[in-house]
Amino acid sequence: MSNQDNKNNNNNKSEQHNSSNEYVDKSHSDDLIESAHIKSNNTEDNTEDNTGKTVFRKPISKSKAQEIAKAVALAKEKSATDAAQLSTDKTVFAPRAPVKPTIETDNSQNDVTRFAPSTAQTQEKFATENKINDVNSDKTVFAPRVAPQPTVKNFEEDATRFSPNAVTSNNGLPSESVDDVNSDKTIFSPRIRASEPTTQTNGGSAVDLINGSSDFKENAQAFDTISGNNSDNTAPNLSVDTTSNANGKLKLLKGRFQLEDILGIGGMGVVYKAKDLLKVEAQDRDPYIAIKVLSEEFRTHPEAFISLQREAKKAQHIANQNTVKVYDFDRDGDVVFMTMEYMVGQPLDQMVKQYHATGLPRNEAWNILYGMCEALIHAHKEDIVHSDLKPGNVFVTDNGTAKIFDFGIARAVQKIDRSHNEKDRTVFDAGNLGALTPAYASREMLLGQVPDVRDDIYALGCIAYEILTGDHPFTRLPADEAYDKKLKPKRIQGIKKRYWKAIEAALAFERKDRIVSVAAFYKQITEHKTSTGGMWFGIALTLGLAGFAYHEVTKVELPKVSQAELMNKMEFKIRYQVLQENIERFIASPSFSREWQASLREEVQSMADLFPEKPTPWYFTKREEIYQLYSVQIGKAISATSFTRANELIKNAIAYTDDQTELDQYKLNLATKLAEKAASDKKAAEAKRLAEIEKQRKAAINAEKAIAKKEQAVDKKTTTNLYNLAMDNVKEQLQCSQRLNMRDFKIAIEKLRTLDFSRYQKAENDITKSLASCIVSMGQISPDYAKDAKRYALLLFADSAELAAVEIKELDGCQMSIAGLGARGNRAVCKDTLKVGGTGPTMLVIPGNDKIQPFAIGKYEVSIYQYNVYCNKSQACSEITSADSRLPVTNISLANITGYIDWLNKATGKTYRLPHKREWLHAAKSNDNQLDSNRNCQISSRGIQKGDELIKTTTGKQNSWGVVNYAGNAQELVYVSAKKVAAVGGSYQTAMDVCTSEETISHTGEADKVTGFRLVRDLVGN
């Protein structure tokens, strides 16, 4: 069915309804309506915007809003057609054929295709185009931000949330809230309206066609989630011109826009990439646009289509190069959508994530910030606050232009809201919906204060900080929480002080401390102050010229008849007719459910509100008819003893009568019935009470008998459960998966013994065996800890032979695995830990031979520092402070050396001693017996002078096993027999030619300045 046919049918239905109305004379009713309409325009409650459309003070139901929207669309189409016929001064171009063009090819120009125009459809086509052009200038900004197949169940940390005053349903219950927020999407709480569902009779609405395709199954599911569609809601009965291609994959809106992909999903609806078939027909190289299909919240809101159209006009006032263009608002059946420019680029929130570690490149970041400032300056100049500015609402095109979108939920600033003139107030107010993003909302927004341009400045400061550093200034904490914690943003490095001061002022928690305007912010972050004035002059000049051009074009295109006046009167009449139809429908099907009563009361009140002084006679006739229905229903409820129901009906019936005599009688009858019922209930309750007392007395006797038995069973069960719990704890520790906690183990064992000693005795043997095995395993990793565990276990199980037999072997860092590898570095040496703190001498493991067992020997001579540690800790000697602590210790006797060795053995738990001569020679010669040619021995030849003093122990070349200063420096004491010592290796005073590892002189053990020592240690287990 064509649009013209639909319009004719609707007109016929309207005429049939008016002619069948037996209560009101049509001409008289129209006079009353027009008169009341004129009077209502003079009241403070009904005001007009700049187009002359009436803004009604009371919202209406979903079905009524849809019917009004449909009727207004048809009226506009007819008005546009009439205007086109009257505009003889305008050049009208014949439109191309909409579906099947006629192609004729010129043989001489084979590459040129010509389309023959179809003039038969010129009138309808031109009317449609005029309808499109009427709203094509209202443009808003949107940018694709989400992957083609989004998931809308869970939302990320930047999801826009709602203040607690969420919209509630008619029954007083709050709407469901969205708890999980996983993306930068603006989410609106659902608006529940009590309305009667309508049955679909035209073969499916545009929503159903979009959602019904198997190829769009996942996308449709996302659409249903956003718009709130479900199986219980039937699409409204609105005709939609939709078609699909041969394979059924792509869908059309208005027979023109072919939906291809989902670009993103936001709080207002789903954004599609679409192809404009008119542009394709015109061979436009760029036929693509973006289409946002609005969600259920917007589509079901009262007067949604009209209000959104006004919102688009408001958006046009703030449109510039840094906001996304919105071309048109339209409706296809019950689908409300708007067409926007299609852009190629990247959302700013994705760019921030990409440069999270460093922030965006500075030049790119400043350019983006400049573009955002220009958009906001223009919006604030028009007294519009964005109210939800965040990186997810900024799109950066491929050429680097930043564009702000989602002004569709912006709010007018405080001074407009306070005005008595409501021409700029939109139905969808962001404050009413409570929409905000906590991480970017100012403290005042979170506290529910009226909007202010400085709210956007706070969000701008957050975004500026984030794109320059990659991090949110307050780690994504909401402003009120950051204020309570007294947080301050960290200074951004690498930018000028003037720039930082601007960003810091924008991030102030209180409005009075925040930078006064975006223009001031922009001026402060501009590199060259002198260029700012020129830029503003250019902007002002450009805006002035654009405004002048727009004014001139608009002035030419204005129709001679006041379209605003025509639409104002038409909307009033349509509203009256729709209210009549709805009230008649409710009266015809009086279900008296709560929804029915609430909806009818709303419709009747809306009808009364249309007439400030006195409604039409039809209104009073229907009001009386409704009262009679209530009267019958009240009598039935009282007869059926449904007193609560009767009382509710009486309260609701008061709204439909001025004479309450009959209702007062009903109240009296109801009070009498209630008194009789109360007396009967009291008598029955007393009898029930006495019977209950007797029942309780008998039950108490039986309960007392059962209590003792039950308590015994409970005690036994409790004891068993506690025992099992303690045993589970013991078994878990005996698995040795972690370090054994003997304190907890002891508590569990004592609990077992207390709860059931006989049962514990049977299990004790297994417990001690498992414990012994666990301690042995621990000893292989940590011998010291295993020793402590064994000692603790023997206190707990004093008679356990298994625990007493546990043998814990020591782990030695000086192992055979590093024997002979000492020259390879620190990983091939070993040190013993001193119990008093610190470590012993650095040792090397020397491999043995057929006469000598492997042993460990000091890599260096014992130093003054190591000897001083002994003196300090033991107080057995005085520290040597007269020489460098890194030199070998000399001038000490054999008795002093023996005292040091005894202390070292106690401090490490190992066995140190002076080496035997054969051990010392074995370690010094190593496997290559090479001497250090630069050893510290006495030499004076050809200007070379050496051997005058001792050098550090670590100075010198190591042999192949890692031993250093084995010849020269300090001669070292060794045993040549059980009690006799000698000095080997020569000293710094020994001549170079005899200063070798084999140099040996007898020694008495007395202290001298050239004699030192190094120690050997037995390997553990060797």
Side-chain angles (χ1 to χ4, degrees):
M1 180 181 293
S2 67
N3 292 333
Q4 187 64 32
D5 293 336
N6 281 332
K7 181 171 67 178
N8 293 336
N9 287 343
N10 290 331
N11 292 336
N12 291 337
K13 292 178 182 178
S14 177
E15 292 173 1
Q16 291 170 4
H17 172 74
N18 291 334
S19 63
S20 62
N21 189 342
E22 59 182 348
Y23 298 107
V24 178
D25 177 72
K26 183 177 186 300
S27 60
H28 179 65
S29 175
D30 289 344
D31 293 339
L32 285 175
I33 291 170
E34 184 170 357
S35 175
H37 167 69
I38 295 172
K39 292 177 182 179
S40 66
N41 288 338
N42 295 326
T43 63
E44 292 183 356
D45 293 333
N46 296 331
T47 60
E48 293 185 358
D49 62 4
N50 54 0
T51 63
K53 297 181 182 179
T54 302
V55 180
F56 294 99
R57 61 185 177 182
K58 186 172 183 64
I60 59 176
S61 62
K62 170 183 174 182
S63 59
K64 184 184 354 175
Q66 293 167 342
E67 291 173 3
I68 290 175
K70 174 185 174 184
V72 168
L74 292 174
K76 283 183 178 180
E77 182 177 0
K78 183 177 184 305
S79 176
T81 303
D82 296 339
Q85 292 173 350
L86 294 174
S87 301
T88 58
D89 294 336
K90 298 180 181 178
T91 303
V92 180
F93 295 91
R96 298 180 182 274
V99 179
K100 295 181 179 180
T102 303
I103 303 174
E104 59 179 48
T105 306
D106 190 337
N107 295 333
S108 62
Q109 295 178 344
N110 293 330
D111 295 332
V112 179
T113 303
R114 300 179 180 176
F115 295 83
S118 176
T119 58
Q121 298 173 338
T122 299
Q123 186 69 20
E124 181 180 354
K125 178 76 173 182
F126 180 69
T128 304
E129 290 176 348
N130 281 346
K131 177 184 175 184
I132 294 173
N133 292 331
D134 285 342
V135 293
N136 197 29
S137 62
D138 301 336
K139 302 179 181 180
T140 308
V141 179
F142 289 89
R145 297 182 278 130
V146 201
Q149 293 183 349
T151 302
V152 298
K153 295 282 185 179
N154 299 320
F155 298 91
E156 294 180 355
E157 60 185 341
D158 279 343
T160 303
R161 302 179 185 172
F162 296 89
S163 51
N165 58 341
V167 180
T168 57
S169 64
N170 284 338
N171 58 8
L173 297 177
S175 304
E176 295 178 0
S177 62
V178 180
D179 293 331
D180 295 329
V181 281
N182 226 317
S183 64
D184 284 339
K185 298 176 183 175
T186 305
I187 312 299
F188 295 90
S189 55
R191 185 183 182 94
I192 302 175
R193 304 285 300 175
S195 61
E196 293 291 321
T198 56
T199 305
Q200 180 174 329
T201 60
N202 62 347
S205 67
V207 175
D208 296 327
L209 288 172
I210 293 172
N211 294 341
S213 173
S214 60
D215 298 283
F216 274 80
K217 184 174 182 181
E218 295 180 359
N219 295 344
Q221 183 179 3
F223 178 86
D224 287 346
T225 304
I226 290 296
S227 61
N229 293 338
N230 53 57
S231 60
D232 296 330
N233 294 331
T234 306
N237 185 15
L238 296 175
S239 177
V240 180
D241 180 14
T242 57
T243 58
S244 63
N245 63 358
N247 56 18
K249 290 185 177 181
L250 303 178
K251 297 299 174 182
L252 293 180
L253 285 177
K254 302 295 289 185
R256 172 181 176 182
F257 303 110
Q258 183 170 277
L259 306 183
E260 293 192 352
D261 297 310
I262 287 183
L263 298 177
I265 298 177
M268 294 178 65
V270 182
V271 181
Y272 293 87
K273 176 183 178 182
K275 182 182 292 183
D276 188 344
L277 297 184
L278 288 182
K279 290 186 177 183
V280 174
E281 181 182 353
Q283 299 182 5
D284 192 327
R285 293 184 179 181
D286 185 15
Y288 288 100
I289 62 171
I291 290 184
K292 172 172 278 191
V293 179
L294 299 186
S295 65
E296 182 70 8
E297 164 61 18
F298 282 73
R299 288 193 291 109
T300 61
H301 196 283
E303 298 179 296
F305 183 81
I306 298 173
S307 301
L308 291 174
Q309 195 172 33
R310 292 173 184 170
E311 194 70 15
K313 290 182 179 179
K314 183 185 296 182
Q316 185 179 13
H317 290 301
I318 63 172
N320 68 355
Q321 64 177 356
N322 294 107
T323 56
V324 182
K325 300 180 180 66
V326 172
Y327 300 138
D328 197 4
F329 262 104
D330 209 342
R331 174 191 294 277
D332 193 344
D334 57 344
V335 177
V336 178
F337 64 95
M338 52 187 173
T339 57
M340 306 168 291
E341 67 172 322
Y342 175 71
M343 299 181 298
V344 179
Q346 188 177 14
L348 183 57
D349 57 347
Q350 293 184 10
M351 297 177 69
V352 171
K353 291 179 182 178
Q354 181 180 350
Y355 292 96
H356 174 70
T358 60
L360 272 66
R362 287 295 161 87
N363 289 339
E364 187 174 359
W366 289 119
N367 287 336
I368 292 172
L369 201 55
Y370 295 159
M372 293 173 59
C373 287
E374 291 187 13
L376 290 174
I377 288 169
H378 190 59
H380 292 174
K381 184 178 180 182
E382 297 296 331
D383 296 325
I384 297 297
V385 181
H386 190 288
S387 293
D388 194 25
L389 188 62
K390 57 187 175 183
N393 282 343
V394 180
F395 193 92
V396 182
T397 64
D398 283 352
N399 62 7
T401 301
K403 289 177 176 282
I404 299 179
F405 59 91
D406 265 0
F407 271 98
I409 60 171
R411 298 188 62 186
V413 295
Q414 182 178 0
K415 68 180 183 181
I416 290 181
D417 287 340
R418 291 179 176 179
S419 173
H420 292 293
N421 184 4
E422 295 182 345
K423 66 179 182 179
D424 286 331
R425 191 174 76 80
T426 61
V427 173
F428 284 93
D429 187 279
N432 294 336
L433 295 179
L436 52 83
T437 302
Y440 300 93
S442 67
R443 181 168 172 265
E444 293 80 6
M445 291 178 65
L446 296 170
L447 295 176
Q449 297 182 14
V450 293
D452 188 278
V453 294
R454 288 168 290 181
D455 298 334
D456 284 351
I457 293 174
Y458 177 85
L460 180 64
C462 291
I463 296 173
Y465 192 101
E466 197 165 4
I467 64 178
L468 289 171
T469 65
D471 294 320
H472 189 276
F474 305 113
T475 62
R476 309 198 74 78
L477 276 179
D480 54 352
E481 295 183 25
Y483 174 84
D484 294 339
K485 294 183 179 180
K486 299 181 179 180
L487 299 182
K488 292 185 178 180
K490 185 178 179 182
R491 170 75 155 87
I492 301 176
Q493 301 299 321
I495 66 173
K496 293 184 178 181
K497 183 178 180 180
R498 178 160 51 93
Y499 300 172
W500 167 242
K501 289 295 184 182
I503 296 174
E504 188 179 39
L507 292 172
F509 290 124
E510 297 189 20
R511 281 178 180 168
K512 63 183 179 64
D513 300 327
R514 214 167 293 150
I515 196 165
V516 66
S517 67
V518 179
F521 177 84
Y522 180 89
K523 181 177 180 181
Q524 199 163 341
I525 65 169
T526 304
E527 181 69 25
H528 301 292
K529 293 184 179 179
T530 56
S531 66
T532 305
M535 182 203 69
W536 281 113
F537 176 78
I539 291 176
L541 180 60
T542 302
L543 291 176
L545 292 175
F548 175 78
Y550 176 80
H551 172 73
E552 290 301 315
V553 173
T554 305
K555 181 173 64 177
V556 174
E557 295 297 330
L558 281 175
K560 297 179 180 179
V561 180
S562 173
Q563 186 68 19
E565 249 183 69
L566 179 62
M567 292 305 299
N568 193 9
K569 186 180 299 184
M570 185 181 302
E571 288 179 17
F572 190 88
K573 289 185 177 181
I574 291 173
R575 186 182 181 90
Y576 178 79
Q577 293 170 4
V578 170
L579 288 173
Q580 278 188 320
E581 293 173 4
N582 290 343
I583 292 173
E584 291 282 9
R585 186 173 65 252
F586 282 123
I587 293 175
S589 302
S591 65
F592 283 94
S593 64
R594 289 185 176 180
E595 291 77 8
W596 182 90
Q597 294 184 73
S599 299
L600 177 59
R601 185 166 59 251
E602 180 182 3
E603 301 295 323
V604 173
Q605 185 61 45
S606 296
M607 176 67 79
D609 291 341
L610 287 178
F611 304 92
E613 295 183 359
K614 184 179 180 181
T616 63
W618 181 91
Y619 166 81
F620 292 105
T621 301
K622 292 301 172 182
R623 187 168 175 258
E624 176 62 24
E625 187 174 344
I626 296 169
Y627 172 74
Q628 294 302 327
L629 291 174
Y630 265 98
S631 179
V632 173
Q633 199 70 15
I634 292 170
K636 291 180 180 179
I638 294 176
S639 300
T641 66
S642 299
F643 301 133
T644 302
R645 170 72 168 167
N647 189 46
E648 177 185 342
L649 292 171
I650 291 171
K651 290 180 179 179
N652 291 338
I654 293 174
Y656 304 104
T657 182
D658 297 325
D659 183 4
Q660 299 186 16
T661 303
E662 185 180 22
L663 293 179
D664 291 339
Q665 185 61 43
Y666 279 136
K667 290 179 182 179
L668 181 60
N669 294 343
L670 183 60
T672 303
K673 295 285 185 180
L674 287 172
E676 293 175 355
K677 185 176 183 299
S680 175
D681 292 344
K682 183 177 180 180
K683 184 176 180 181
E686 180 64 17
K688 183 178 180 181
R689 186 184 69 83
L690 295 175
E692 186 66 23
I693 291 174
E694 179 64 18
K695 181 180 179 181
Q696 290 177 357
R697 188 185 66 81
K698 293 180 179 179
I701 296 174
N702 296 330
E704 288 177 0
K705 296 179 181 178
I707 284 176
K709 184 177 179 180
K710 185 176 181 181
E711 287 178 350
Q712 292 176 358
V714 169
D715 289 343
K716 184 176 181 180
K717 184 177 180 180
T718 301
T719 301
T720 301
N721 291 338
L722 292 175
Y723 181 91
N724 292 336
L725 184 62
M727 180 59 76
D728 290 342
N729 187 13
V730 170
K731 290 179 179 179
E732 182 179 358
Q733 294 225 43
L734 291 178
Q735 291 178 359
C736 284
S737 58
Q738 299 178 356
R739 179 171 286 189
L740 190 61
N741 188 330
M742 290 304 297
R743 185 182 300 275
D744 292 345
F745 187 79
K746 178 185 177 183
I747 293 173
I749 292 297
E750 290 177 346
K751 194 72 173 177
L752 291 176
R753 292 172 177 172
T754 302
L755 293 172
D756 195 339
F757 187 74
S758 60
R759 187 177 175 187
Y760 163 77
Q761 282 183 314
K762 297 177 182 179
E764 186 180 64
N765 189 42
D766 292 337
I767 293 173
T768 54
K769 286 182 179 179
S770 298
L771 181 59
S773 176
C774 186
I775 292 174
V776 171
S777 299
M778 290 171 53
Q780 297 174 359
I781 301 173
S782 179
D784 293 338
Y785 191 85
K787 289 179 181 178
D788 291 340
K790 178 182 177 181
R791 184 167 55 254
Y792 207 101
L794 288 174
L795 293 176
L796 194 58
F797 304 98
D799 300 329
S800 174
E802 290 83 359
L803 292 173
V806 170
E807 182 178 355
I808 302 172
K809 296 182 179 180
E810 290 285 346
L811 287 179
D812 189 7
C814 298
Q815 299 179 2
M816 285 301 299
S817 60
I818 61 172
L821 305 178
R824 297 188 180 182
N826 292 334
R827 298 184 65 179
V829 300
C830 52
K831 294 181 182 181
D832 292 323
T833 302
L834 302 178
K835 295 179 181 179
V836 295
T839 59
T842 302
M843 308 298 289
L844 305 169
V845 177
I846 305 300
N849 55 28
D850 54 349
K851 295 181 179 179
I852 300 175
Q853 292 290 332
F855 61 93
I857 191 169
K859 182 179 181 71
Y860 312 106
E861 303 139 311
V862 175
S863 68
I864 293 175
Y865 171 79
Q866 293 169 335
Y867 186 76
N868 282 346
V869 172
Y870 154 64
C871 294
N872 179 270
K873 297 297 182 181
S874 67
Q875 300 296 315
C877 54
S878 299
E879 295 186 27
I880 301 172
T881 59
S882 59
D884 190 342
S885 63
R886 295 172 294 178
L887 299 177
V889 59
T890 60
N891 208 23
I892 60 175
S893 65
L894 179 60
N896 295 133
I897 295 173
T898 303
Y900 171 72
I901 293 173
D902 292 342
W903 173 82
L904 188 61
N905 290 341
K906 292 178 181 179
T908 62
K910 305 296 191 299
T911 303
Y912 287 85
R913 55 184 173 80
L914 279 175
H916 196 276
K917 180 180 178 180
R918 62 177 178 274
E919 293 174 326
W920 191 93
L921 287 173
H922 179 63
K925 291 182 178 182
S926 66
N927 56 2
D928 58 1
N929 195 23
Q930 294 290 328
L931 288 173
D932 181 5
S933 60
N934 198 31
R935 57 192 180 277
N936 187 26
C937 298
Q938 187 68 42
I939 184 173
S940 179
S941 174
R942 298 179 182 179
I944 300 175
Q945 183 70 33
K946 290 188 63 176
D948 293 334
E949 59 183 358
L950 291 168
I951 62 175
K952 293 184 292 185
T953 59
T954 57
T955 302
K957 183 179 179 181
Q958 60 186 1
N959 66 10
S960 60
W961 285 346
V963 182
V964 178
N965 283 330
Y966 50 88
N969 207 24
Q971 60 184 12
E972 301 175 21
L973 289 180
V974 297
Y975 278 108
V976 294
S977 64
K979 295 183 179 181
K980 188 176 180 180
V981 295
V984 296
S987 70
Y988 65 94
Q989 295 180 351
T990 305
M992 181 67 74
D993 56 343
V994 296
C995 187
T996 67
S997 58
E998 296 180 350
E999 173 69 14
T1000 304
I1001 61 175
S1002 60
H1003 201 283
T1004 62
E1006 296 298 326
D1008 62 65
K1009 64 179 180 179
V1010 298
T1011 305
F1013 68 98
R1014 77 176 74 211
L1015 300 177
V1016 299
R1017 179 173 76 74
D1018 296 333
L1019 301 182
V1020 176
N1022 195 22

